[in-house]
Amino acid sequence: MFFSAYVFQPKMATARFSCTFNSQNVRIGHCTKVPRNVNMEKLQHGYLFPEIERQEMMHLKRHPHANVIDLGVGDTTQPLPTTVTASMIDFVHGLSTASGYKGYGPEQGEKALRKAISVAFYKDMGIKPSEVFVSDGAQCDITRLQLLMGSNLKIAVQDPSFPAYIDSSVIIGQAGKFVDNAGKYKNIEYMTCGPQTNFFPDLPSFSRTELIFFNSPNNPTGHAATRKQLEQLVDFARLNGSIIIFDSAYAAYITDDSPKSIYEIPGAREVAIEVSSFSKFAGFTGVRLGWTVVPEELLYSNGFPVMHDFNRIMCTCFNGASSIAQAGGLACLSPEGLRAIQSLVDYYMENARMLVDALTSLGLTVYGGKNAPYVWVHFPGSKSWNVFAEILEKTHVITVPGSGFGPGGEGYIRISAFGLRHSIIEASQRLKYLIYQKQN
């Protein structure tokens, strides 16, 4: 299947301006003598998901009456369970009383929530509440961890993977120059994770790095690493003296026996930090709540505990997650809350099954949709941005070009199952019609 009607690439970031002018050639503002951060100049495009939203706005200008279906960014669509919102409402009402008012909370998070997270997600793994740091989301914590580790080290990332790992590395100063023909930054190890290697890197073929970012289930491919694969990853980190930053934001969607936490693997407490979130399993994309686990046993090369420095970062750069959001998070982890949240997970996974069935019925090669609410579709010989553009133009369905997740995603499209059921059905029909036309 070759999509070639639209030759499209995202807008490039301009490195330097002498001054900024408007459409009437009148200078806007005042040029100071403060130089731009050279690391910001290295960034090649706008961040992927705002770029997708920009394309949506341009499309709506061309087609103002189009019924656009957004299966791109991956925002949740189902309402929060009432048991969760009721707890948040009660907490808010309490803030209007003398007995219920609370100001600043602990930067590390409320003790009750830290304990609930350790019990709900890390039972029998030895994770203590004191090792859990509550935050405003996993993506924010990724950048805080980059700030913690500094610029004088090298990182490895899955290819393809969530773009925040690379962009934050560039901004903090870890990355070298961008190599256009390779689609990669120097000083970053891109670990190919395609179907030819069962979506897991051939670890011995990659050089040592200080940090290894690893996302399971992976966004965008939807692959959940097996126990054997994660054992290899932990052994690789221990051998090289590296630290794994393990992103488990989609762990609640795992349906097979794949590990939901890196700490299920023996020895991981000595080499891994885990980042996770309430966003995708509890629908907290707008509420904003996440957490990071830093075990006591994780030490720098000089023997100093990493946890102490991360605590300092949280106390310096963060005033703690919203107390209202934390009240909701605590309700999510109650028995009633967990049952209600599981129904949300089941809803989105049924969406994923419908998308997979629709696309595979046309003979397309489709991955994902089993352990994550993402469907990873292969269009051999096509450029991802061209496929994205033609699907948007002809079906009014928003997807995400696979190359936005790294050069290993070229030729793929990621489709999100975080949609309303009727939208999933309608989008499936539109996509099937477009692909059927191209096949015939």
Side-chain angles (χ1 to χ4, degrees):
M1 173 101 29
F2 186 77
F3 284 72
S4 58
Y6 298 88
V7 179
F8 172 81
Q9 286 295 330
K11 184 178 180 181
M12 297 292 292
T14 304
R16 291 180 177 83
F17 298 84
S18 56
C19 275
T20 303
F21 296 84
N22 65 14
S23 58
Q24 286 75 44
N25 205 34
V26 177
R27 189 172 73 181
I28 301 171
H30 167 70
C31 292
T32 70
K33 295 182 179 180
V34 179
R36 188 183 181 203
N37 184 333
V38 295
N39 296 322
M40 297 299 296
E41 292 184 349
K42 292 180 183 177
L43 293 170
Q44 293 302 295
H45 311 291
Y47 187 63
L48 176 61
F49 301 114
E51 178 65 27
I52 298 298
E53 291 173 355
R54 189 177 74 87
Q55 293 302 318
E56 179 183 1
M57 294 300 103
M58 292 172 59
H59 181 75
L60 285 171
K61 286 183 179 180
R62 296 194 303 270
H63 307 281
H65 302 297
N67 175 20
V68 174
I69 299 175
D70 188 351
L71 302 182
V73 174
D75 195 2
T76 52
T77 55
Q78 287 298 289
L80 299 178
T82 54
T83 185
V84 174
T85 55
S87 294
M88 298 169 74
I89 290 168
D90 287 346
F91 186 89
V92 170
H93 285 164
L95 293 176
S96 65
T97 67
S99 60
Y101 175 77
K102 295 182 69 174
Y104 288 124
E107 292 89 349
Q108 305 82 1
E110 298 292 342
K111 288 183 179 180
L113 180 56
R114 297 172 80 186
K115 182 178 180 180
I117 290 171
S118 68
V119 171
F121 300 107
Y122 305 104
K123 187 178 181 181
D124 302 325
M125 298 180 208
I127 298 299
K128 304 172 185 176
S130 60
E131 297 170 321
V132 177
F133 294 81
V134 178
S135 71
D136 52 347
Q139 187 165 345
C140 300
D141 277 351
I142 288 165
T143 302
R144 292 185 189 108
L145 287 167
Q146 293 280 33
L147 180 63
L148 169 73
M149 296 299 176
S151 59
N152 296 320
L153 45 70
K154 185 176 180 179
I155 74 164
V157 297
Q158 293 157 290
D159 181 25
S161 67
F162 186 50
Y165 310 142
I166 290 176
D167 282 13
S168 61
S169 176
V170 174
I171 292 170
I172 205 71
Q174 297 165 349
K177 292 183 178 179
F178 186 77
V179 182
D180 285 300
N181 59 354
K184 301 178 181 180
Y185 289 94
K186 292 184 176 179
N187 205 48
I188 293 179
E189 195 75 26
Y190 290 76
M191 303 187 300
T192 304
C193 295
Q196 67 277 13
T197 61
N198 195 23
F199 295 101
F200 189 78
D202 178 22
L203 294 172
S205 68
F206 296 103
S207 62
R208 177 191 178 273
T209 62
E210 285 81 5
L211 299 182
I212 303 170
F213 283 90
F214 199 89
N215 179 209
S216 180
N218 175 268
N219 176 15
T221 67
H223 175 73
T226 66
R227 187 170 301 276
K228 183 178 179 180
Q229 288 175 337
L230 291 183
E231 287 172 351
Q232 293 174 12
L233 180 64
V234 169
D235 288 344
F236 183 74
R238 291 176 67 88
L239 177 66
N240 288 299
S242 305
I243 293 177
I244 302 164
I245 299 179
F246 188 81
D247 185 343
S248 64
Y250 297 93
Y253 290 91
I254 292 176
T255 59
D256 59 20
D257 59 356
S258 301
K260 295 185 177 182
S261 169
I262 191 65
Y263 302 120
E264 293 185 37
I265 308 304
R269 285 179 57 87
E270 298 175 353
V271 295
I273 294 169
E274 183 162 306
V275 178
S276 201
S277 172
F278 284 81
S279 289
K280 299 304 173 71
F281 81 88
F284 273 34
T285 50
V287 177
R288 308 305 307 147
L289 193 66
W291 72 89
T292 290
V293 177
V294 187
E296 293 175 348
E297 294 93 327
L298 184 64
L299 309 176
Y300 292 112
S301 58
N302 65 357
F304 191 81
V306 175
M307 183 175 72
H308 292 351
D309 276 358
F310 189 65
N311 183 65
R312 178 61 186 271
I313 290 287
M314 295 295 281
C315 292
T316 302
C317 304
F318 187 55
N319 267 343
S322 160
S323 55
I324 301 168
Q326 291 190 71
L330 193 59
C332 287
L333 303 184
S334 68
E336 183 181 0
L338 288 170
R339 287 192 296 271
I341 285 170
Q342 186 59 50
S343 68
L344 297 179
V345 171
D346 293 343
Y347 180 93
Y348 294 128
M349 290 307 291
E350 175 61 16
N351 284 353
R353 185 197 63 77
M354 295 173 65
L355 286 167
V356 170
D357 288 350
L359 296 168
T360 54
S361 70
L362 296 168
L364 294 177
T365 301
V366 181
Y367 304 98
K370 178 182 178 182
N371 288 317
Y374 293 122
V375 178
W376 188 238
V377 189
H378 193 202
F379 294 89
S382 300
K383 293 291 187 181
S384 296
W385 280 100
N386 292 352
V387 180
F388 162 84
E390 185 165 358
I391 288 175
L392 178 58
E393 188 66 25
K394 293 186 175 180
T395 71
H396 308 303
V397 174
I398 299 171
T399 60
V400 180
S403 59
F405 299 96
E410 187 61 271
Y412 289 85
I413 285 291
R414 192 202 76 177
I415 304 177
S416 166
F418 287 116
L420 297 172
R421 184 61 48 76
H422 68 84
S423 296
I424 295 292
I425 295 171
E426 175 65 22
S428 298
Q429 292 173 343
R430 295 184 194 179
L431 291 169
K432 287 177 70 174
Y433 181 72
L434 170 64
I435 294 166
Y436 177 80
Q437 283 187 315
K438 296 186 73 66
Q439 289 176 336
N440 295 276

